[in-house]
Each structure stands twice: as C-alpha cells, then as structure tokens.
Amino acid sequence: MNNLNETLLTAIEVELRRQIARLDESHTALYHEMLTYHMGWTGKGAGQKATGKRIRPLLVLLASAATKGEWQNALPAAAAVELIHNFSLLHDDIQDNSETRRGRPTVWVKWGAAQAINAGDGLLIIANLAMADLENRISAEIAMEGSRLLQETCLNLTRGQHLDISYEMRTDLEVGDYWSMISGKTAALISACTHLGALLGGADEGTQSTYRDFGHYLGLSFQVQDDILGIWGDEALTGKSAASDLLEGKKSLPVLYGLGKNGEFARKWLQGPLAPDDVPGMAKLLEAEGARLQAQQSADQMTDLSLKALRMANPQGEAGDQLFELANWLLKREA
C-alpha cells in the first residue's frame, strides 16, 4: 500500500476509536462492545477483513489534501462519514435480515434487533458529535457548512433506503427507477465524502462541485459493481452469500436488465419468491441473457464519468495521484 494511504488509514482508525470511546465506560461496556464489534475491532474474526476498507474516510482525507488543505483538520469529518456508513450497514442488516457481515455474525444476530437498532443510532449520534469537533480545527462557518452537508446526505440515504425497500414489492420498475434509488442509497455518501474533503481543504465552490460530481459517479459505479458481486461474486472474498440478493428479491441493476428482456429469467422471476435451490440457475440465466455484461458496461460508463470529473478537478500532489488510483481500483474490485 502507498505510504500516504497507510498514514491516512492509521490516522482514521485512531480517530474512529477516539470517537467511539465516548461509550467506553463501565456501565455501558456492552454497548461499547457492540460498536467495537461492528467496526471490526473486537470479537471472533476481528481484524482488517472485518473492519472493511475505510474507503469513504480515505476519500475525505485525500480530497482535502489534493486541494492543498491540511488533511489532519478533516479527520473528525472522515470519522463521521465512516460512522454514518456503519450506522446504515447496521440498520440494513436488520432490514434485510442479513445474518452475516464481512464473514461474521451481524450485531442483531448476536445481541438482538432492538439492541442493534440502538447501536446504529449511537453510531449516527457519535458521527454528529465528531462533526462538532471540526470547530476546534477550522472556521465555525466552514464547520457548520460541512455539518449541514452531511445532514442533507443522511436524509438522502434514508430516501434511497426507502426506495430500496419499497422496490422489493413492485413489479413495474424500470432502469431509471434504479438510478434514483442508488443516487441516494450509495452515491449520496460517497459524493459527500469528496465534496466534504474539498470544502475542508479550502477549495472554491466550482472545484467543490467538480469533486462532488466525481464522488457521485464513483458511487454509482461502486453500487453497480456491488450488484454484480451480489449475484456472481466469490463469497470467500465478499464475506456475503452470493444467493442473498436474488433470494431477497432485490431489484438490482442486473435483475432489472433481465426483467427488461422478457425472457426465461423474467418468466421465472415473476412466478414468485425464489427458493435457495433456484438461485444458481437464475444467475446463469441472467448472465446468458446479457444482464451481467450490460451491468458491467454501466459500471464502466459511470467510472468514465467519475474520472472525467476528477480530471476537471485537477487534484494536486501525491493525494491527487492516489484519488485516481483508488477510483480505478474500485472498478476492478472483487469484494
């Protein structure tokens, strides 16, 4: 790994632990454990695979440094976006009835749904407190603007999640509906990361807008890639069952492309919920009908738009180089 990225990721982990330590008291020890477990630091299987890649906070710090800002000043914001991301994952696991996350039992499986909901709420609140810490490092005006940006992003996350859940029961969806959903559910937070980094780095409004576009299209590409992995990914790498998306009836991009073909996949899909034994054959049908290729082409298109916006932003120095490398890596990821 690049030396700059190593430095940033180490600093991110220290800041995350500092923020979550707000609950590290004797009478809330179990509560604190739930959060540290979900973050991948404690419990069986703890370690790098369990923590995730910390892509979102890394984007904040790289964007800040690439706009000639002091990345250290953006650390509370970097921690906040990762806490918000994990808050959404914790609640997603309950809503999707997912029993594993990154190869480990989810928080609700270990401690029950009620405690898991509360733990997710705690992560969201700590994220807001982390943003308040910005006032000790930058101007109050910029700190308030950053906080407002993140709150609007959280609202967009809930919009996207609402659509994602409601889509499961609908049979009249088109590809355009999908883009509306993931613009909120996934792209909103990644876009906020690059926008927030540029804001805290001192970039002008035009440059901030270009960074926001970079993150938006990167987020769209990331989600499409996630949809592909959700059907055809290697479970050993993703830590999640490749059958779950089809079993849960998720209207992912490959599924919508497949339904649009009105072929054998669409006929079987519309007959009702799939059984576990149906999934391998349905995945093969989807691929044979060209849905996997179409989805990959969409991911490639979104990545091209993302890289175009990043070139327009003209990021500087080693951090700028790392932003390009990270964007290219995200397109080729296998987990």
Side-chain angles (χ1 to χ4, degrees):
M1 184 184 293
N2 175 274
N3 285 337
L4 175 61
N5 280 3
E6 285 185 358
T7 299
L8 298 184
L9 287 169
T10 299
I12 287 164
E13 225 54 28
V14 170
E15 182 67 14
L16 284 169
R17 288 176 181 269
R18 187 180 76 83
Q19 294 294 342
I20 287 179
R22 297 173 191 271
L23 290 172
D24 191 9
E25 300 176 4
S26 58
H27 65 289
T28 53
L30 180 59
Y31 188 11
H32 183 250
E33 182 187 348
M34 291 176 190
L35 270 58
T36 60
Y37 173 85
H38 179 71
M39 295 299 293
W41 299 328
T42 58
K44 185 177 180 181
Q48 189 171 6
K49 184 178 178 182
T51 63
K53 301 175 184 68
R54 307 294 195 231
I55 291 165
R56 291 159 187 81
L58 188 58
L59 283 170
V60 173
L61 298 187
L62 286 174
S64 181
T67 50
K68 298 185 178 180
E70 295 289 337
W71 62 261
Q72 292 88 345
N73 290 340
L75 270 171
V81 298
E82 183 65 10
L83 292 169
I84 287 169
H85 172 56
N86 277 277
F87 139 75
S88 70
L89 294 181
L90 211 156
H91 281 194
D92 280 358
D93 288 340
I94 300 166
Q95 292 165 333
D96 295 343
N97 203 35
S98 297
E99 295 187 358
T100 60
R101 166 72 60 184
R102 297 167 182 152
R104 304 199 302 166
T106 48
V107 172
W108 75 265
V109 168
K110 285 179 67 67
W111 288 289
Q115 288 287 21
I117 290 168
N118 191 63
D121 294 345
L123 288 173
L124 179 60
I125 294 163
I126 294 172
N128 289 328
L129 291 170
M131 289 300 290
D133 288 348
L134 284 173
E135 293 183 11
N136 300 323
R137 303 174 183 233
I138 59 174
S139 73
E141 182 181 1
I142 297 296
M144 183 172 292
E145 187 175 346
S147 293
R148 185 183 300 111
L149 189 164
L150 208 52
Q151 291 305 314
E152 290 172 352
T153 299
C154 287
L155 188 58
N156 284 330
L157 286 174
T158 65
R159 286 190 179 109
Q161 183 69 351
H162 162 77
L163 291 175
D164 190 27
I165 294 169
S166 65
Y167 283 4
E168 292 177 16
M169 305 305 295
R170 288 179 55 184
T171 58
D172 60 340
L173 295 173
E174 298 178 353
V175 170
D177 297 311
Y178 169 86
W179 294 115
S180 297
M181 181 267 289
I182 70 164
S183 289
K185 183 177 172 67
T186 302
L189 187 55
I190 294 180
S191 180
C193 291
T194 53
H195 185 182
L196 196 55
L199 168 69
L200 299 178
D204 59 41
E205 288 187 8
T207 303
Q208 289 178 41
S209 177
T210 310
Y211 270 96
R212 182 175 63 243
D213 289 345
F214 159 57
H216 172 72
Y217 290 114
L218 186 63
L220 296 181
S221 172
F222 187 91
Q223 183 58 56
V224 175
Q225 197 74 1
D226 205 55
D227 286 354
I228 294 169
L229 292 171
I231 298 174
W232 296 285
D234 183 340
E235 294 180 16
L237 295 175
T238 63
K240 181 180 178 182
S241 169
S244 61
D245 282 6
L246 289 175
L247 281 176
E248 291 162 13
K250 282 195 173 295
K251 303 301 195 302
S252 64
L253 190 59
V255 167
L256 289 177
Y257 279 142
L259 293 175
K261 301 285 185 182
N262 289 318
E264 185 72 4
F265 173 84
R267 185 183 66 79
K268 291 186 175 182
W269 178 274
L270 294 172
Q271 286 177 353
L274 301 180
D277 290 346
D278 298 329
V279 170
M282 291 292 276
K284 287 181 181 178
L285 272 178
L286 260 188
E287 186 161 14
E289 293 178 8
R292 183 176 185 175
L293 177 61
Q294 278 188 284
Q296 189 59 59
Q297 288 172 338
S298 293
D300 293 345
Q301 182 184 15
M302 294 303 109
T303 298
D304 289 344
L305 289 170
S306 177
L307 292 175
K308 180 181 178 181
L310 184 56
R311 285 191 290 271
M312 288 180 63
N314 191 27
Q316 300 296 301
E318 187 180 1
D321 294 339
Q322 289 306 303
L323 279 174
F324 278 107
E325 284 195 24
L326 183 57
N328 281 306
W329 174 78
L330 287 172
L331 175 65
K332 301 177 178 67
R333 68 195 179 96
E334 297 180 351

